[in-house]
Amino acid sequence: GPVARMGTELRCQCIATHSKFIPPKSIQDVRLTQSGPHCKNVEVIATLKDGREVCLEPTAPWVQLIIKAILAK
Amino acid sequence: GPVARMGTELRCQCIATHSKFIPPKSIQDVRLTQSGPHCKNVEVIATLKDGREVCLEPTAPWVQLIIKAILAK
């Protein structure tokens, strides 16, 4: 919900990560959240252009490539 | 504002980017937003642990290193 988006998460937001490749062009934004007292995991949440939110695996090479692709545009 | 956080930005969110290095440990999360009809720029917005939001330059090497550091944790 909106609270999670204000940088005040009280717990982990992802219970599982999406394992299939998502083309960068279908992604609107990607949020990387550091681990901390609220959650021991780094979390990567992509918002797709259709409004869906999906959790991605921070260490997956394709996730890192997508992030690199967004930054390089 | 909250609307910007819902992936429905109607315009660019950043009017300038922070040029000085920010230590990854002071960053809570980083949001990468693709360019699109709402904004011709890729935008990188960091939320700091003190709640401040700062726009970062997507192509700056230190910004890319910070993102890599978050993902690698």
Side-chain angles (χ1 to χ4, degrees), chain A:
Chain A
V3 171
R5 297 162 187 283
M6 304 303 278
T8 55
E9 297 93 343
L10 298 176
R11 54 168 193 262
C12 296
Q13 301 300 300
C14 297
I15 50 170
T17 57
H18 188 83
S19 54
K20 281 205 317 203
F21 176 79
I22 297 172
K25 71 168 161 34
S26 64
I27 294 176
Q28 175 62 42
D29 70 48
V30 178
R31 191 156 34 101
L32 316 175
T33 305
Q34 298 249 47
S35 56
H38 71 289
C39 178
K40 67 174 175 49
N41 311 316
V42 173
E43 297 191 302
V44 177
I45 303 175
T47 304
L48 308 187
K49 288 185 179 160
D50 65 11
R52 278 183 301 158
E53 291 195 313
V54 291
C55 289
L56 306 179
E57 170 54 45
T59 60
W62 71 270
V63 171
Q64 305 196 1
L65 282 176
I66 279 178
I67 289 167
K68 213 177 259 186
I70 293 173
L71 290 173
K73 274 225 250 163

Side-chain angles (χ1 to χ4, degrees), chain B residues 2 6 13 21-22 25 29 32 43 46-47 56-57 63 66:
Chain B
M6 304 302 278
Q13 301 299 300
F21 178 78
I22 297 172
K25 71 170 162 32
D29 70 50
L32 316 175
E43 296 191 304
T47 305
L56 307 180
E57 171 53 45
V63 172
I66 278 178

